Amino acid sequence: MDFSLLLSSYATVWSNPEVLLMTFIGALGGVLLGAIPGMTATMGVALLIPFSFGMDLIPSIGLLLGIYCGGMYGGSISAILIHAPGTPAAAATLLDGYPMCKKGQAGKALSVAMFASFCGGVIGALVMTFLSPLVADMAMNFGPGEMFMLAVFGLSVIVAISGKSVAKGLISAFFGMLLCTVGLDPTNGIPRFITTKQTGLLDGFQFIPTLIGLFAVSEVIAGVERIIRGEEHEQKSNEKITNVLPDWKTIKKIWPNILSGGLIGTFIGAIPGAGGDIAVFVSYGASKSASKHPELYGTGIPNGVAATESANNGCSGGAMIPLLSLGVPGDSVTAILLGAFIMKGITPGPMMYVTELPTVYRVFAALMLANLCMLVVGCLGVRFFAKIVSVEKKMLYPIILVISLLGAFSINKNAFDVGVCVAFGIIGWLMNKYEFPLSPILLALILGPMCEKNFVRYMNIQRGNFFAITTSPIAMVFATVAILVIVYSVYNQSKINKRTAANAAQEKA
């Protein structure tokens, strides 16, 4: 590594007013877009890429990376405040973020999410800067067998996020896996559980409308039910936000979650085809399993928010690694960035580190700057965002419903998706009533297609010999860790249930 060139690249990027302005605008736009359910970071980058046509490479990359990093954090705002993840990568943030908001700690939850997002992004950027060729080489060892076992490992986290009842969590996950089988078979194109006239379901249930329905619309239905019964109490936030960043005591408590989440996010983000959607649940499950008090997860603690938000922003640096090192985009956003590079006459890949090394180092500096701009935007907006919870519920619920339905419609400009969103809102409301966790459904929807596709590919390559997978060290590591996660999570949950039962018995006595 040429450290003098790296330092000069940082100086060039960080002293350029155009780069600073474009990156800040991108971060601001990303945070605002990410906070709207359905408006993902991918959509934001795709919408604003035409504005980069007349710019030089680094200002345009700064703009797009600002949207990328800002959108990752922005998704947590709606997840924390209104129980509606703005982006799929914020789906796990609401597990502890929304309970914190209900406890009157909206400002604290937002500041923890912002700080963890920044730290996770910095971890991803540092790994990308110093270890990108090494991580890229590791990521390219992932074939269909390894990707299948990665999906199995991800599914094993379901046990950790199932809450009080592992059985109910597994039922929810099974329901999610069944939903994945609707539509065209990904291998041979045969329609499954639909007729040829049901064109809206040819691609299966779209993830974003399902996500919005399960969480946002179900919360609106539950809220309206509480209003009708007279059980809804207006939540006036008396929280005084003196510091927009977490206090030192909170930082000492959450730093292990931030570090582990950033590293997990970077590693999973570097695997082409994986991404923040998977990383957040893996990070949350790992954080809960390693905790001395796993029973507190899901009740509203900063550790859960920190683990997920550091992971999804760590993915931004991770996904850039295969893009720059191999010319292979790590996720949908970096696929758009690949187009931006090619449009500027630069082809990412191994030769980029030989012929375009100054450009590579400037991209490193631009990603670090994007994370810093995201932090500045977050600091400026925390106090304003936290005031949303004080809005009267009779006004807030219709606004949430309209935004949610518009978000569901915006994905494919399809009214059918709005119907899917409403239907899953009713399903989510009923499942919440009977205490079935919703997060396992989401994890199954994310990992189900990945699991099926790679399993079929692997079986075709090995001519039906599944046990050939035992010759892959990477696959066996994932399989072993998955078994350990399941066993430990079941043991942990049984301890939590016994402790809860003992406490309840003492209170009755």
Side-chain angles (χ1 to χ4, degrees):
M1 164 142 322
D2 189 338
F3 286 98
S4 62
L5 180 58
L6 180 65
L7 291 173
S8 66
S9 299
Y10 264 82
T12 302
V13 170
W14 286 45
S15 62
N16 188 324
E18 185 184 4
V19 176
L20 292 172
L21 178 63
M22 288 298 104
T23 307
F24 182 81
I25 290 172
L28 177 62
V31 169
L32 295 176
L33 284 172
I36 301 171
M39 296 294 286
T40 62
T42 307
M43 190 179 294
V45 172
L47 286 172
L48 292 186
I49 199 169
F51 293 95
S52 68
F53 286 170
M55 299 181 197
D56 291 334
L57 175 66
I58 300 304
S60 64
I61 293 299
L63 173 69
L64 299 177
L65 288 176
I67 299 167
Y68 189 9
C69 296
M72 285 294 192
Y73 162 64
S76 69
I77 296 171
S78 53
I80 291 167
L81 298 178
I82 61 174
H83 202 246
T87 62
T93 302
L94 57 77
L95 295 175
D96 276 288
Y98 187 64
M100 284 184 72
C101 178
K102 290 175 77 174
K103 290 194 293 189
Q105 298 177 353
K108 183 177 182 180
L110 289 169
S111 64
V112 167
M114 174 183 62
F115 182 73
S117 293
F118 169 70
C119 293
V122 169
I123 290 169
L126 289 174
V127 172
M128 180 183 81
T129 302
F130 296 105
L131 299 175
S132 53
L134 176 64
V135 176
D137 286 342
M138 288 174 60
M140 289 312 292
N141 289 324
F142 278 69
E146 289 76 14
M147 291 299 289
F148 168 70
M149 276 304 175
L150 172 62
V152 171
F153 164 61
L155 288 169
S156 71
V157 178
I158 285 170
V159 180
I161 63 173
S162 293
K164 298 175 185 177
S165 172
V166 174
K168 286 185 175 180
L170 293 176
I171 290 170
S172 293
F174 184 67
F175 175 60
M177 295 294 281
L178 283 177
L179 294 176
C180 295
T181 62
V182 175
L184 294 178
D185 185 296
T187 307
N188 51 36
I190 296 173
R192 299 187 296 196
F193 305 110
I194 59 170
T195 64
T196 51
K197 294 181 181 178
Q198 293 171 306
T199 54
L201 285 174
L202 286 175
D203 291 328
F205 292 101
Q206 293 293 310
F207 182 71
I208 297 295
T210 306
L211 169 71
I212 294 171
L214 283 173
F215 289 98
V217 177
S218 67
E219 184 65 23
V220 170
I221 296 171
V224 171
E225 182 187 27
R226 289 193 297 270
I227 290 173
I228 293 171
R229 291 182 174 181
E231 298 172 357
E232 183 68 86
H233 302 290
E234 292 305 322
Q235 184 179 344
K236 296 294 181 184
S237 179
N238 297 319
E239 183 184 16
K240 291 184 179 179
I241 304 174
T242 53
N243 297 311
V244 292
L245 291 172
D247 57 69
W248 183 241
K249 183 181 177 182
T250 303
I251 291 173
K252 283 199 295 184
K253 188 188 296 184
I254 64 176
W255 77 262
N257 309 104
I258 290 175
L259 181 61
S260 63
L263 293 173
I264 288 170
T266 304
F267 177 71
I268 292 180
I271 301 170
D277 313 1
I278 302 170
V280 290
F281 284 103
V282 171
S283 178
Y284 187 84
S287 178
K288 183 178 178 181
S289 297
S291 174
K292 293 179 181 178
H293 300 284
E295 71 276 5
L296 297 178
Y297 279 74
T299 62
I301 58 172
N303 305 72
V305 176
T308 56
E309 283 303 301
S310 59
N312 64 29
N313 268 66
C315 277
S316 58
M320 293 291 291
I321 291 172
L323 173 67
L324 295 176
S325 302
L326 305 167
V328 178
D331 61 8
S332 53
V333 177
T334 48
I336 299 171
L337 289 174
L338 175 62
F341 275 109
I342 293 172
M343 193 171 61
K344 300 295 182 182
I346 295 173
T347 303
M351 289 304 295
M352 194 172 175
Y353 281 78
V354 178
T355 59
E356 298 286 348
L357 189 59
T359 301
V360 172
Y361 284 173
R362 286 171 188 170
V363 173
F364 293 164
L367 181 60
M368 193 68 81
L369 179 62
N371 282 289
L372 184 61
C373 288
M374 179 272 295
L375 180 68
V376 173
V377 172
C379 288
L380 294 174
V382 162
R383 288 188 175 92
F384 169 73
F385 298 141
K387 294 293 182 186
I388 293 173
V389 296
S390 298
V391 177
E392 189 179 348
K393 292 296 186 287
K394 290 179 182 178
M395 292 176 58
L396 188 61
Y397 287 140
I399 294 170
I400 294 171
L401 183 62
V402 170
I403 292 174
S404 299
L405 297 181
L406 285 174
F409 178 78
S410 67
I411 303 301
N412 297 312
K413 308 296 185 293
N414 187 350
F416 181 81
D417 288 341
V418 177
V420 168
C421 181
V422 173
F424 277 99
I426 296 169
I427 292 170
W429 169 65
L430 290 171
M431 292 184 76
N432 273 328
K433 267 179 105 66
Y434 295 100
E435 298 185 342
F436 282 87
L438 299 178
S439 298
I441 301 176
L442 281 191
L443 196 54
L445 283 171
I446 293 166
L447 293 172
M450 176 181 169
C451 198
E452 178 188 9
K453 215 181 315 181
N454 285 290
F455 176 74
V456 172
R457 286 175 183 168
Y458 182 75
M459 294 299 282
N460 285 336
I461 291 169
Q462 297 295 336
R463 299 181 183 275
N465 179 18
F466 175 75
F467 292 102
I469 204 167
T470 56
T471 60
S472 167
I474 295 174
M476 286 299 95
V477 167
F478 279 126
T480 305
V481 174
I483 293 169
L484 292 175
V485 166
I486 291 170
V487 172
Y488 186 71
S489 298
V490 171
Y491 169 71
N492 241 358
Q493 193 58 48
S494 66
K495 276 204 318 183
I496 293 168
N497 291 342
K498 285 178 183 176
R499 196 180 304 163
T500 305
N503 291 339
Q506 281 180 357
E507 287 176 7
K508 284 182 182 179

